[in-house]
Amino acid sequence: MKKFTKQALAIVAIAAFAVAGCKKGAEGNFDRSNGAGGPFTGADSVITGNISASRTLSPGKVYKLNGVVYVTGGAKLTIKPGTILTTGEKVNYKVDPSTSVVNAIAGVLVVTRGSSIDAVGTPSQPIIFTSPKAANTRVAGDFGGIVLLGNSTTNKPSTQVIEGLPGYDANGVSLGVDLTYGGNVPADNSGKFQYVRIEYAGYILAPNNEINGLTMGGVGSGTTIDHVQVSFGADDAFEFFGGTVSPSYLLALGNDDDDFDTDFGYSGTISYAISLKDPQSTHSTSGGVSDSNGIESDNDGTGSTATPRTKPTYSNFTLLGYSSANTGLRAGNRWRRNSDLSITNSIIAGYNTGAEFQSGTETSATPGGFNNNIVHSYTTVFSPATAVSLTGSTNSILVSADADAFIGLGIRGTRNLSPFYTTDLASTYSFNNLLPRNTTVTKGAVLASNLSQWTSGWAKFTPQTSQD
């Protein structure tokens, strides 16, 4: 959840509310095709408006999402393994019906409260949401994003309207769709979301009001989310607005803002997750300074003490920034606004600051919440350094110019590999780059004991380029 105007906004056409492209290369694109690729061809099926009766999507077609597509009225959307969904035609909407400003949006899928999704791919046939454009022309924001809304708990006194979505058509008439989330059902079930890739997502509805790769509002613990990758997005990769869902095996690659963002009383457990920053992505800024983090967490936007308090429980994360000191990133972890925290068995490296504890968190978070981690930084490991009750002495820490040597990741046979992702490595980068050189190490997301969970084919470091 961005709290300030982003660097990306400076390069978009504000009047049209276009999404900031993660540029790069001479043509200003953020393509990662590494091959011929091409626009999706073959039989197409257009989906528009509301899905108010249960429906099944199967491979063999490319499904194009016109505008914002809502699953409503208790319907269940089933997406079979190997199905590809992409962006269709833009539809005009309004945020404020009293103005003439319209927003042209496409490629957004929203599962409303009481409805559900059954998007269950397989390791060899993941479900893919991606840009419809040809190789070498794709940019962050080509696809809109996925939004799941549920009835689980938040720390707000009433249901909330999810950010990033308009409520009116181009004529200012209400869409009549419930865009709220939250309730009193911790075990609420929004369905299953497994073996899925989301590429080039993000939409800026207005400053500080955006769609992420995967946005979850009040999603309950009865929901199953695992083996999900969000790549090359224009905002956060995964954002949790309250809720109790507990995902695992999440991969965030080359996204603009925060990779894991928790707010409004989120209290689930996330295990085995990877965050890889890309030097060729754009990154969000606040006051001219980078605001792009591996993890960001707030109790709420004002830093209140509202309960339930935001307290994600993270274990076995690998959060990697850049291979050298830089100004493009902020912190591996940023805990603020009275957020509580628990993070263990994780590796954080390649950021100028390893972890920041701010705005109440440094004095009010549960003691010992940050422990048994490997933390590297180029400038400051912990800020403030006085947050010793949080960090204690169980972490292995180092400030140095050489992150690679300290964290000890990347091995294939006898040859060491860099764990830091770059465009030049995209076609050869693999989970071996993230495997500990010492097989007895049990910290981080990729271990000898679970390597098959990552390498079974559902995740990749270059994006989908064809219907095949």
Side-chain angles (χ1 to χ4, degrees):
M1 178 170 62
K2 297 186 184 72
K3 304 348 183 249
F4 302 93
T5 301
K6 304 180 128 217
Q7 175 189 20
L9 287 174
I11 60 173
V12 299
I14 298 297
F17 291 93
V19 175
C22 284
K23 55 174 187 155
K24 312 298 182 208
E27 298 175 333
N29 66 71
F30 190 59
D31 187 79
R32 292 289 182 277
S33 62
N34 294 287
F40 293 111
T41 59
D44 295 334
S45 181
V46 174
I47 304 175
T48 188
N50 296 348
I51 297 175
S52 54
S54 295
R55 180 174 180 179
T56 297
L57 310 182
S58 300
K61 295 181 179 180
V62 173
Y63 293 89
K64 296 185 176 181
L65 304 179
N66 284 2
V68 182
V69 175
Y70 300 95
V71 183
T72 66
K76 179 166 114 175
L77 175 63
T78 299
I79 306 177
K80 294 293 188 180
T83 302
I84 296 173
L85 299 93
T86 189
T87 306
E89 295 183 2
K90 292 183 178 180
V91 174
N92 288 333
Y93 301 92
K94 285 186 176 182
V95 177
D96 184 347
S98 67
T99 72
S100 60
V101 177
V102 297
N103 306 73
I105 308 175
V108 180
L109 177 64
V110 182
V111 180
T112 63
R113 290 196 303 162
S115 301
S116 65
I117 189 167
D118 191 331
V120 180
T122 67
S124 61
Q125 290 187 296
I127 294 164
I128 300 164
F129 298 86
T130 193
S131 168
K133 295 182 180 177
N136 301 313
T137 65
R138 294 168 295 178
V139 296
D142 282 347
F143 181 77
I146 312 298
V147 181
L148 306 181
L149 304 177
N151 291 290
S152 187
T153 53
T154 75
N155 62 16
K156 309 305 288 184
S158 60
T159 58
Q160 300 292 300
V161 175
I162 195 67
E163 71 170 40
L165 298 176
Y168 304 89
D169 68 13
N171 297 315
V173 178
S174 173
L175 297 175
V177 177
D178 182 6
L179 300 181
T180 63
Y181 65 92
N184 58 2
V185 187
D188 191 43
N189 187 351
S190 295
K192 297 179 179 179
F193 203 73
Q194 299 173 279
Y195 296 103
V196 176
R197 289 205 305 271
I198 303 169
E199 300 173 344
Y200 301 107
Y203 182 81
I204 301 173
L205 186 67
N208 308 321
N209 192 2
E210 308 96 354
I211 296 173
N212 309 288
L214 179 58
T215 302
M216 291 152 281
V219 175
S221 61
T223 307
T224 300
I225 298 176
D226 59 68
H227 299 87
V228 179
Q229 176 176 346
V230 178
S231 303
F232 320 130
D235 197 65
D236 296 338
F238 301 91
E239 181 152 18
F240 302 78
F241 292 95
T244 48
V245 65
S246 292
S248 61
Y249 292 99
L250 306 181
L251 169 58
L253 172 63
N255 296 287
D256 172 88
D257 197 32
D258 309 312
D259 286 324
F260 302 94
D261 195 335
T262 53
D263 310 273
F264 294 170
Y266 172 73
S267 59
T269 296
I270 306 177
S271 56
Y272 299 106
I274 298 170
S275 162
L276 299 176
K277 295 298 189 184
D278 187 334
Q280 293 207 1
S281 307
T282 60
H283 291 302
S284 60
T285 62
S286 172
V289 177
S290 176
D291 198 31
S292 181
N293 309 284
I295 289 172
E296 183 175 87
S297 186
D298 303 313
N299 195 43
D300 59 21
T302 64
S304 78
T305 57
T307 58
R309 191 173 179 185
T310 300
K311 186 179 181 179
T313 299
Y314 291 153
S315 66
N316 290 94
F317 272 56
T318 298
L319 303 158
L320 301 182
Y322 295 165
S323 60
S324 60
N326 65 89
T327 59
L329 304 175
R330 179 155 187 156
N333 292 187
R334 192 181 186 199
W335 308 95
R336 63 179 188 174
R337 294 176 176 166
N338 272 313
S339 175
D340 205 344
L341 63 128
S342 175
I343 181 167
T344 59
N345 300 322
S346 296
I347 298 172
I348 303 153
Y351 288 83
N352 289 346
T353 300
E356 295 183 7
F357 307 98
Q358 303 175 314
S359 309
T361 292
E362 68 274 28
T363 57
S364 65
T366 302
F370 191 105
N371 65 83
N372 199 34
N373 302 302
I374 296 172
V375 189
H376 162 273
S377 72
Y378 293 118
T379 305
T380 304
V381 177
F382 299 126
S383 176
T386 54
V388 292
S389 67
L390 287 175
T391 60
S393 59
T394 61
N395 302 292
S396 177
I397 64 175
L398 181 70
V399 175
S400 76
D402 188 348
D404 197 355
F406 176 61
I407 60 176
L409 298 180
I411 186 167
R412 181 182 295 147
T414 59
R415 182 164 63 91
N416 290 340
L417 304 171
S418 172
F420 293 96
Y421 181 91
T422 68
T423 299
D424 293 340
L425 288 176
S427 61
T428 60
Y429 196 96
S430 77
F431 291 105
N432 284 319
N433 293 67
L434 299 170
L435 194 66
R437 294 171 192 164
N438 182 344
T439 57
T440 63
V441 172
T442 59
K443 296 180 178 65
V446 183
L447 304 169
S449 60
N450 72 350
L451 188 58
S452 63
Q453 293 289 325
W454 295 107
T455 59
S456 56
W458 65 276
K460 58 187 295 188
F461 297 99
T462 56
Q464 189 80 5
T465 56
S466 70
Q467 189 169 341
D468 299 330

